[in-house]
Amino acid sequence: MRQLGVRLFYRWIDFIKNHDLIFLFLLITTIYYLNFRSMPSGDTLPASLLPFSILNQQTVFFDQFSGYIHTIKVPYMFSVHGGHYLSQYPLVLPVIVTPLYILPTLFLNFFHIPIDMLNPSFKIICYSMDKIAASFIATLSAIFLYVTLKNIFSEKISLLCTLIYAFATNTWAISSQTLWQHGAVELFLVILIYLVVMNEKHENQHNFLMMGLLSGLLIFCRPIDSILLLPIIYYVFIHGKMEKFYYLCALILVSLPFAAYNLYFFNNLFVII
């Protein structure tokens, strides 16, 4: 009986090793959810609400939440342009998490729950999705870090560094709690590093295409963090013309919608935060 137990234990260990990404994802996500609540902030309110506006009203305006906005003593997180309420913060983060909100939005519409922060049921769903989306982004960044490190170091060192990143930094304290721009910037940076490591192993011009897309998203997600792209830009610069072409084309392509939005509504290339 004891031998059977030992055998099953080692089989379980082998199973975990063969499915390490799944187990690591579940472990980190579970721990992030342990407080069973989001920690919303006025700064992150537009990011929490915008996916519902995009899916329900096909707009980036917050007009359907005007009643709730009027109850906020100092609604600094919103601005009015052309009679419409707009976010004072960049749109990149809420746009990229919008697919996660498809099922909750269908649920709200099916049960005729008003998409209104003055409705208690919607408020619970909104804050729950805020937590889910933030934790998903933070966990995903940890997974990409683990995969990247495994291509450089041993599995044990990679796991240790990933756990430190996930639980001993502000990734847990801030990024996983609510939809701050910091979480998205972490994710973009980690994937960029992953692409560099992969490109060093097997050069592929498509890696530079993805680097350009992620660089553009990072710039318009949190402009002040653009300085973190300098090593990536240098890496692209030391490669050939086609790599630079792919990188710049992708960067410009993904940046155009956000640049156009900022210029049209704010007369500025960037929404400075």
Side-chain angles (χ1 to χ4, degrees):
M1 195 71 179
R2 186 178 177 182
Q3 288 181 344
L4 178 61
V6 171
R7 213 174 294 143
L8 288 173
F9 174 77
Y10 280 111
R11 284 187 181 179
W12 177 246
I13 295 297
D14 288 337
F15 181 80
I16 291 176
K17 284 184 177 179
N18 294 331
H19 301 82
D20 55 344
L21 294 183
I22 295 174
F23 278 90
L24 188 59
F25 186 92
L26 292 175
L27 171 68
I28 296 172
T29 302
T30 300
I31 293 175
Y32 283 167
Y33 288 161
L34 281 180
N35 61 353
F36 296 111
R37 63 188 177 91
S38 67
M39 297 169 62
S41 163
D43 293 357
T44 63
L45 181 60
S48 303
L49 296 177
L50 187 59
F52 291 109
S53 291
I54 292 173
L55 293 171
N56 194 57
Q57 300 288 332
Q58 293 79 56
T59 183
V60 293
F61 301 140
F62 294 84
D63 299 348
Q64 69 182 111
F65 301 107
S66 59
Y68 175 71
I69 294 171
H70 290 153
T71 68
I72 301 173
K73 189 173 181 180
V74 183
Y76 65 89
M77 67 291 295
F78 298 103
S79 59
V80 179
H81 293 267
H84 298 289
Y85 287 98
L86 293 170
S87 171
Q88 273 295 118
Y89 294 84
L91 301 187
V92 172
L93 175 56
V95 167
I96 66 171
V97 300
T98 293
L100 298 177
Y101 285 70
I102 293 174
L103 287 179
T105 302
L106 291 174
F107 174 86
L108 290 166
N109 289 330
F110 182 80
F111 288 101
H112 305 290
I113 299 174
I115 297 180
D116 185 347
M117 284 294 281
L118 296 174
N119 182 284
S121 297
F122 172 76
K123 197 169 187 177
I124 291 171
I125 291 174
C126 178
Y127 285 152
S128 298
M129 285 306 304
D130 182 53
K131 173 71 173 180
I132 290 170
S135 295
F136 178 77
I137 287 177
T139 304
L140 202 59
S141 70
I143 295 300
F144 268 100
L145 178 64
Y146 176 66
V147 174
T148 303
L149 292 173
K150 276 182 68 176
N151 283 279
I152 306 173
F153 305 107
S154 69
E155 190 171 316
K156 288 183 179 179
I157 292 176
S158 301
L159 180 60
L160 177 62
C161 292
T162 300
L163 293 177
I164 291 172
Y165 167 82
F167 303 124
T169 69
N170 282 335
T171 303
W172 186 9
I174 295 177
S175 300
S176 72
Q177 301 303 313
T178 190
L179 288 171
W180 296 97
Q181 284 86 7
H182 309 74
V185 169
E186 283 182 320
L187 178 60
F188 298 149
L189 279 175
V190 172
I191 300 177
L192 281 165
I193 295 169
Y194 167 77
L195 289 170
V196 169
V197 171
M198 290 297 100
N199 194 70
E200 285 299 296
K201 287 197 153 198
H202 305 287
E203 281 214 18
N204 190 325
Q205 291 176 341
H206 291 152
N207 290 330
F208 292 88
L209 185 70
M210 290 303 301
M211 286 183 208
L213 290 173
L214 291 164
S215 297
L217 290 173
L218 190 153
I219 290 168
F220 282 89
C221 180
R222 189 170 170 80
I224 197 170
D225 288 343
S226 299
I227 191 171
L228 299 173
L229 288 174
L230 288 178
I232 301 296
I233 293 171
Y234 174 76
Y235 181 78
V236 174
F237 180 78
I238 63 176
H239 281 78
K241 290 183 180 178
M242 285 306 298
E243 285 81 359
K244 295 185 186 72
F245 176 77
Y246 274 109
Y247 179 82
L248 288 173
C249 284
L251 190 154
I252 293 169
L253 182 65
V254 78
S255 299
L256 280 175
F258 300 107
Y261 167 87
N262 293 341
L263 288 170
Y264 183 81
F265 288 109
F266 297 96
N267 296 317
N268 200 324
L269 185 60
F270 301 108
V271 176
I272 305 298
I273 55 172

PDB file of all heavy atoms in Angstrom, residues 1 51 69 127:
ATOM      1  N   MET A   1       0.836  -1.206   0.000  1.00  0.00           N
ATOM      2  CA  MET A   1       0.000   0.000   0.000  1.00  0.00           C
ATOM      3  C   MET A   1       0.876   1.264   0.000  1.00  0.00           C
ATOM      4  O   MET A   1       0.601   2.228  -0.688  1.00  0.00           O
ATOM      5  CB  MET A   1      -0.900  -0.026   1.244  1.00  0.00           C
ATOM      6  CG  MET A   1      -2.036   0.971   1.172  1.00  0.00           C
ATOM      7  SD  MET A   1      -3.289   0.473  -0.026  1.00  0.00           S
ATOM      8  CE  MET A   1      -4.446   1.801   0.154  1.00  0.00           C
ATOM      9  N   PRO A  51     -14.927  48.595 -21.244  1.00  0.00           N
ATOM     10  CA  PRO A  51     -15.300  47.393 -22.003  1.00  0.00           C
ATOM     11  C   PRO A  51     -16.809  47.209 -22.139  1.00  0.00           C
ATOM     12  O   PRO A  51     -17.293  46.743 -23.177  1.00  0.00           O
ATOM     13  CB  PRO A  51     -14.676  46.256 -21.189  1.00  0.00           C
ATOM     14  CG  PRO A  51     -13.506  46.880 -20.519  1.00  0.00           C
ATOM     15  CD  PRO A  51     -13.960  48.265 -20.175  1.00  0.00           C
ATOM     16  N   ILE A  69     -21.610  59.172 -12.750  1.00  0.00           N
ATOM     17  CA  ILE A  69     -20.521  60.156 -12.759  1.00  0.00           C
ATOM     18  C   ILE A  69     -20.919  61.410 -11.992  1.00  0.00           C
ATOM     19  O   ILE A  69     -20.100  62.000 -11.272  1.00  0.00           O
ATOM     20  CB  ILE A  69     -20.111  60.501 -14.211  1.00  0.00           C
ATOM     21  CG1 ILE A  69     -19.491  59.273 -14.890  1.00  0.00           C
ATOM     22  CG2 ILE A  69     -19.123  61.669 -14.238  1.00  0.00           C
ATOM     23  CD1 ILE A  69     -19.246  59.440 -16.370  1.00  0.00           C
ATOM     24  N   TYR A 127     -17.049  45.169 -10.640  1.00  0.00           N
ATOM     25  CA  TYR A 127     -15.874  45.046  -9.781  1.00  0.00           C
ATOM     26  C   TYR A 127     -15.288  43.642  -9.831  1.00  0.00           C
ATOM     27  O   TYR A 127     -14.066  43.467  -9.720  1.00  0.00           O
ATOM     28  CB  TYR A 127     -16.241  45.421  -8.339  1.00  0.00           C
ATOM     29  CG  TYR A 127     -16.404  46.906  -8.128  1.00  0.00           C
ATOM     30  CD1 TYR A 127     -17.253  47.412  -7.145  1.00  0.00           C
ATOM     31  CD2 TYR A 127     -15.695  47.821  -8.912  1.00  0.00           C
ATOM     32  CE1 TYR A 127     -17.397  48.779  -6.945  1.00  0.00           C
ATOM     33  CE2 TYR A 127     -15.838  49.185  -8.716  1.00  0.00           C
ATOM     34  CZ  TYR A 127     -16.683  49.660  -7.739  1.00  0.00           C
ATOM     35  OH  TYR A 127     -16.820  51.006  -7.542  1.00  0.00           O
TER      36      TYR A 127
END
